[in-house]
Amino acid sequence: MTVLLDDMVRAIEAWLRILKEPNAYVDPNLDPVLLVPGIAGSILNAKDGETGKEERVWVRIWEADREFRDKLWCKFDPESGKTLSLDPNISIVVPEDRDGLYAIDCLDPAMLIGRNSVCYFHDMINEMTSWGYQEGKTLFGFGYDFRQSNRLKETLDRLAAKLDAIYTASGGKRINVVTHSMGGLLVKCFMSLHSDIFEKYVKSWIAIAAPFQGAPGYVTSTLMNGMSFVDGWEAYFFVSKWSMHQLLIECPSIYELMACLDHEWEHVPLLQIWKQIQDGNGNSTPILETFTPIEAVSIFTQALSTNELSYGGVDIPLPFNKEILQWANKTRDILSSAKLPSSVKFYNVYGTGLDTPQSVCYGSVDSPILDLQELPFLDATYINVNGDGTVPVESSKADGLDAEARVGIPGEHRGILCDKHLFRIVKHWLKADHDPFYNPVNDYVILPTLFEIERHRDKGKEVTSLKEEWEIVSEDEREAMVGSISASCVGDDLTSSQEAHATFIVHPQSNGKQHIELKAVSVTAGV
């Protein structure tokens, strides 16, 4: 939603007393919640095997790239399915402070770079504590080593122990699990391989922005070129894209995010390459070659055939790892066969409204590729579909489970975790507004009954429309009324402008109830 429209809606909500100030009360009736992050969403410490000393290695600022290479660079062990740090004296552990919440809250140790981009569940933790959740009593976190496979026994054993501990601490209350991104694959693997434990301990599972069928375009470019978590000048203080690339080539978790091969894609993910072809007369012609996900494996193999890193003075070959690919294919088989226990409610939230890479193209008709080994050093272009910028809607919606609801929210992959509309939906599903939707601070009842939001472009303008409805039960009865508010502003550069208009209607009913309708629209020009 545009800023002007968002501010306007907040003002109306405040008048209706729907927007509440954070409160410190604890609700003893809430069922426990476990938050599970996605890839790179956990603080990681490197533990020295000789001294036992732990040092933060992800995320850190000072000497970030050097420590990343020294402590996190790894090689895959096909026998155990585990990726092991190149330094045999180093093991990677997740800090358990604040009952696991510390590791998934704010990832930036200094809050100097990245800012909100390196906060993870921070806003959601704050929001949930305002609902009455209490850290260590009804709110917990589960961080993990994101380099590893989503079905690694060591990780799944830790998750089983975590669920048991929460169940015991809550006096036998079943747990609501909230996952983000790849955390959804981790929990789905657990549900498939340990269905009895899952059914015993889990009451509901809310998956947010989960790449159930992969993140095709994002992972294709990641395997070929790496990824950047911080852009701009701040990147000089963080892990380089090349260092990240060398790590991820040996991470089963990345291979498990490749396009699912047995999914019937509406838009098949492709790898495209403009190649320079010579005919028998020595004439060169650019030709666009297209490869399906299965065919693309041969391109990865050729492009990364000479890739290597230098560690401790030794050159280590680091080609595309087909042993990891075989492991990942087995993981996808496990994911596709997962069944939801009948006693567990499942909800799916997916991000929409952003161009999201689906297919990847290297080279162009003017600059065709002469040698596939050039690809790791080139920038890709993308064929986009609707999604959250990382995970396509098609992938995130295709959970293969009997869902209670699937809801799309406009927003960016990680930014959706800060969206107030997501908070409302999650609060409703968790029944944190129970009895029914009672707020003990302001002594009124809110029953949200409708939420719809749409965004589209029309003749160079971005149009956002919103519709919300509530029922309010309160001794402070309102009379029937119709109100409206309008606002407009011009950008600092005088080339962009924004107008917003909102109308709200109060319909009094019997027994102190009022039905509230809010309709709002904003138009932004110059975007």
Side-chain angles (χ1 to χ4, degrees):
M1 191 190 305
T2 56
V3 174
L4 190 64
L5 181 59
D6 194 46
D7 290 343
M8 180 180 292
V9 172
R10 283 179 176 272
I12 294 173
E13 290 177 342
W15 179 81
L16 293 170
R17 296 198 305 174
I18 291 173
L19 190 64
K20 304 175 287 297
E21 293 296 323
N23 53 77
Y25 85 98
V26 174
D27 188 340
N29 298 311
L30 294 172
D31 293 321
V33 170
L34 177 64
L35 304 177
V36 183
I39 192 165
S42 306
I43 291 173
L44 301 179
N45 290 342
K47 184 176 181 179
D48 190 296
E50 295 180 358
T51 65
K53 180 182 177 182
E54 293 187 19
E55 183 179 11
R56 181 164 171 159
V57 65
W58 178 265
V59 179
R60 63 180 290 151
I61 304 300
W62 181 249
E63 296 184 330
D65 194 69
R66 182 180 66 82
E67 290 296 311
F68 181 91
R69 289 183 273 113
D70 287 348
K71 306 298 194 319
L72 283 180
W73 270 358
C74 53
K75 286 287 288 182
F76 177 71
D77 176 14
E79 292 187 7
S80 65
K82 187 175 184 179
T83 189
L84 303 170
S85 296
L86 294 180
D87 185 344
N89 191 48
I90 292 296
S91 60
I92 300 302
V93 297
V94 180
E96 292 293 340
D97 311 58
R98 292 172 51 202
D99 293 279
L101 292 170
Y102 165 75
I104 64 173
D105 190 339
C106 287
L107 305 186
D108 186 347
M111 297 304 291
L112 279 174
I113 66 170
R115 306 203 177 186
N116 289 338
S117 66
V118 287
C119 284
Y120 209 98
F121 275 114
H122 180 72
D123 290 68
M124 182 170 285
I125 291 171
N126 287 345
E127 186 74 16
M128 294 182 74
T129 54
S130 76
W131 301 342
Y133 286 93
Q134 186 178 14
E135 293 188 10
K137 300 293 184 181
T138 50
L139 187 58
F140 304 82
F142 182 78
Y144 55 94
D145 182 352
F146 64 82
R147 304 176 303 169
Q148 308 297 342
S149 167
N150 287 290
R151 63 179 172 99
L152 183 71
K153 183 179 184 301
E154 181 180 315
T155 305
L156 298 187
D157 286 348
R158 284 186 55 241
L159 181 54
K162 186 78 173 185
L163 292 172
D164 181 73
I166 296 172
Y167 183 80
T168 301
S170 65
K173 288 186 175 181
R174 291 168 67 205
I175 302 154
N176 299 304
V177 178
V178 178
T179 64
H180 177 251
S181 191
M182 193 180 75
L185 302 189
L186 173 65
V187 167
K188 194 176 183 183
C189 277
F190 184 88
M191 183 177 71
S192 180
L193 296 172
H194 301 284
S195 59
D196 55 338
I197 300 176
F198 190 85
E199 185 171 18
K200 176 182 178 181
Y201 292 132
V202 177
K203 180 179 181 180
S204 72
W205 169 24
I206 300 173
I208 303 168
F212 285 113
Q213 303 300 329
Y218 181 77
V219 171
T220 294
S221 61
T222 293
L223 284 171
M224 200 75 78
N225 312 106
M227 67 171 72
S228 297
F229 281 91
V230 177
D231 297 319
W233 65 268
E234 297 98 334
Y236 289 102
F237 298 93
F238 197 53
V239 178
S240 72
K241 188 174 183 179
W242 180 82
S243 294
M244 186 65 70
H245 183 228
Q246 302 303 77
L247 170 81
L248 297 178
I249 288 177
E250 289 293 305
C251 291
S253 57
I254 289 295
Y255 290 69
E256 289 167 356
L257 293 174
M258 295 174 72
C260 187
L261 301 179
D262 58 3
H263 179 63
E264 296 183 4
W265 293 94
E266 179 182 355
H267 304 285
V268 178
L270 301 172
L271 173 59
Q272 298 182 323
I273 301 175
W274 282 97
K275 285 187 176 181
Q276 186 84 298
I277 305 297
Q278 288 188 335
D279 60 23
N281 298 322
N283 298 317
S284 297
T285 304
I287 296 179
L288 180 63
E289 294 189 349
T290 298
F291 304 90
T292 66
I294 293 178
E295 296 167 340
V297 171
S298 66
I299 304 301
F300 288 127
T301 302
Q302 295 176 66
L304 299 171
S305 60
T306 61
N307 185 61
E308 64 179 21
L309 57 79
S310 180
Y311 188 87
V314 178
D315 292 333
I316 302 175
L318 221 62
F320 180 77
N321 197 318
K322 292 187 177 181
E323 290 181 318
I324 298 183
L325 181 61
Q326 292 175 356
W327 177 277
N329 287 338
K330 176 61 177 176
T331 301
R332 283 193 284 270
D333 289 340
I334 292 171
L335 288 168
S336 63
S337 64
K339 303 295 183 184
L340 183 74
S342 59
S343 62
V344 179
K345 294 184 180 297
F346 172 71
Y347 306 88
N348 186 342
V349 178
Y350 54 92
T352 69
L354 295 180
D355 287 339
T356 302
Q358 180 82 344
S359 296
V360 180
C361 182
Y362 289 93
S364 67
V365 66
D366 296 322
S367 300
I369 306 301
L370 301 177
D371 185 347
L372 289 178
Q373 292 179 7
E374 299 176 29
L375 296 182
F377 308 100
L378 300 178
D379 292 329
T381 56
Y382 302 104
I383 299 172
N384 295 311
V385 294
N386 185 26
D388 60 20
T390 299
V391 180
V393 166
E394 182 180 358
S395 172
S396 195
K397 289 180 67 175
D399 48 67
L401 302 174
D402 185 13
E404 297 291 319
R406 295 183 183 91
V407 177
I409 296 180
E412 184 268 336
H413 184 65
R414 185 173 291 184
I416 198 173
L417 289 177
C418 306
D419 191 289
K420 69 169 187 172
H421 304 296
L422 173 70
F423 296 154
R424 287 181 182 170
I425 293 168
V426 170
K427 185 177 184 181
H428 177 64
W429 286 342
L430 292 178
K431 295 182 170 38
D433 44 6
H434 54 271
D435 192 26
F437 306 92
Y438 178 64
N439 184 311
V441 176
N442 295 329
D443 194 28
Y444 63 83
V445 176
I446 299 294
L447 293 160
T449 58
L450 177 69
F451 171 74
E452 295 177 350
I453 185 170
E454 293 184 359
R455 179 180 294 139
H456 68 275
R457 290 181 178 273
D458 183 22
K459 298 180 180 179
K461 298 179 180 180
E462 182 178 280
V463 181
T464 302
S465 59
L466 170 75
K467 183 177 182 180
E468 294 191 61
E469 295 184 8
W470 308 273
E471 283 189 358
I472 298 180
V473 180
S474 171
E475 293 182 359
D476 182 19
E477 296 187 5
R478 297 178 175 86
E479 296 180 354
M481 67 172 296
V482 177
S484 65
I485 183 173
S486 299
S488 63
C489 67
V490 178
D492 294 338
D493 56 3
L494 302 181
T495 62
S496 62
S497 62
Q498 185 179 158
E499 296 182 1
H501 180 80
T503 301
F504 57 92
I505 305 173
V506 179
H507 302 279
Q509 299 176 357
S510 60
N511 300 322
K513 292 183 179 180
Q514 297 95 40
H515 185 79
I516 312 295
E517 295 181 29
L518 168 64
K519 295 181 179 180
V521 64
S522 76
V523 179
T524 303
V527 296

